[in-house]
Amino acid sequence: MTTTPTPTPAATTAATPTPAPAPIRALSASRTTATAARVLRQLRHDPRTIALLILIPCVMLFLLRYVFDGSPRTFDSIGASLLGIFPLITMFLVTSIATLRERTSGTLERLLAMPLGKGDLIAGYALAFGILAIIQSALATGLAVWVLGLDVTGSPWLLLLVALLDALLGTALGLFVSAFAASEFQAVQFMPAVIFPQLLLCGLFTPRSNMHPALEAVSDVLPMSYAVDGMNEILKHTDMTATFVRDVLIVAGCALLVLTLGAATLRRRTA
């Protein structure tokens, strides 16, 4: 007579399906603000990063003003554009390195093992650096307009708005490219690939309509081009124009799109 073997405890355990983890919502206000508060606490103990974020754009604008000391109109023509470009560059650099440091140190992996979604993490970083971007843009705009004598036809508040959106765009780009860098050195190397082409094609050095048609077509899809166009609208018009609204919406939309892509490509650990 053949007997049926009794299943071993190990076999019974193996046959039992592992319960699926509870789903995590894509975005939570409480988790986002907690992440932002943690990032700000870390930055508070890093005075060099704070100095780079807040003071460097002001120092660069100050130097630029007196480089063109004999030609104030030149400063008026490019100062507003650089008021948006400098915050974008500094926020891109600091954000990409800070996010990569979280991943290489293992902090990111520990955070994502908690009930924290990728969207919460990216939004928390964007909120923390966005607060710094507000301070940075306000100081740089105030220095340019009320100390260095930048002559703008439109409202300085619109100038501040574009500068802030540029800083947020730099934050979004920094968060996005950090997913593709394996070291802080590689994160810095992304600057020539991501920032410099936009700097050359944004219309700062020559009107985009004077470029080769192929380069003009490329510039039409780069967000920095619309940031410079928005600044130029403020220089020329007293009121808010439809072109200015279009430029602002494009820059804001690009920042939101890049943040979404950053959340989608976020990895726990750098290989």
Side-chain angles (χ1 to χ4, degrees), residues 9-266:
T12 304
T13 304
T16 304
T18 303
I24 299 176
R25 289 180 298 173
L27 198 61
S28 166
S30 59
R31 293 194 293 263
T32 297
T33 54
T35 301
R38 182 187 63 82
V39 174
L40 290 174
R41 285 195 300 269
Q42 289 180 334
L43 289 175
R44 186 181 60 183
H45 301 291
D46 191 352
R48 289 176 296 183
T49 299
I50 294 177
L52 176 63
L53 284 173
I54 296 178
L55 298 181
I56 292 301
C58 295
V59 172
M60 297 300 292
L61 286 170
F62 187 86
L63 290 176
L64 183 70
R65 168 62 182 86
Y66 290 102
V67 164
F68 297 108
D69 190 41
S71 180
R73 290 187 178 180
T74 304
F75 176 71
D76 291 338
S77 63
I78 68 172
S81 299
L82 291 177
L83 181 61
I85 291 174
F86 286 157
L88 189 154
I89 294 175
T90 55
M91 295 302 292
F92 171 86
L93 184 62
V94 171
T95 305
S96 59
I97 293 177
T99 309
L100 183 65
R101 189 178 299 167
E102 294 273 69
R103 186 182 300 110
T104 54
S105 65
T107 303
L108 187 60
E109 186 174 15
R110 292 192 295 270
L111 288 173
L112 291 179
M114 302 168 61
L116 183 70
K118 292 182 179 181
D120 297 316
L121 190 67
I122 291 294
Y125 270 90
L127 178 60
F129 284 105
I131 293 173
L132 293 175
I134 293 174
I135 300 173
Q136 179 195 71
S137 301
L139 289 177
T141 303
L143 174 69
V145 175
W146 290 296
V147 178
L148 300 180
L150 180 66
D151 186 16
V152 293
T153 303
S155 171
W157 295 107
L158 297 179
L159 206 65
L160 173 61
L161 173 62
V162 180
L164 175 59
L165 289 176
D166 288 344
L168 293 176
L169 176 61
T171 299
L173 289 171
L175 289 170
F176 176 67
V177 303
S178 67
F180 304 99
S183 65
E184 294 181 11
F185 179 68
Q186 287 187 6
V188 175
Q189 286 179 315
F190 273 103
M191 180 174 288
V194 176
I195 300 298
F196 287 178
Q198 296 193 66
L199 185 62
L200 293 175
L201 300 178
C202 67
L204 176 65
F205 302 104
T206 185
R208 293 193 289 130
S209 58
N210 294 342
M211 298 178 184
H212 188 279
L215 294 180
E216 184 181 0
V218 173
S219 71
D220 287 340
V221 299
L222 298 177
M224 191 184 290
S225 301
Y226 297 96
V228 172
D229 288 349
M231 289 294 193
N232 290 333
E233 287 293 308
I234 301 171
L235 290 177
K236 299 174 183 177
H237 303 282
T238 56
D239 299 324
M240 186 184 303
T241 64
T243 302
F244 173 80
V245 174
R246 180 208 64 182
D247 295 334
V248 166
L249 290 177
I250 289 176
V251 174
C254 288
L256 182 60
L257 175 63
V258 175
L259 282 176
T260 304
L261 293 175
T265 58
L266 185 65

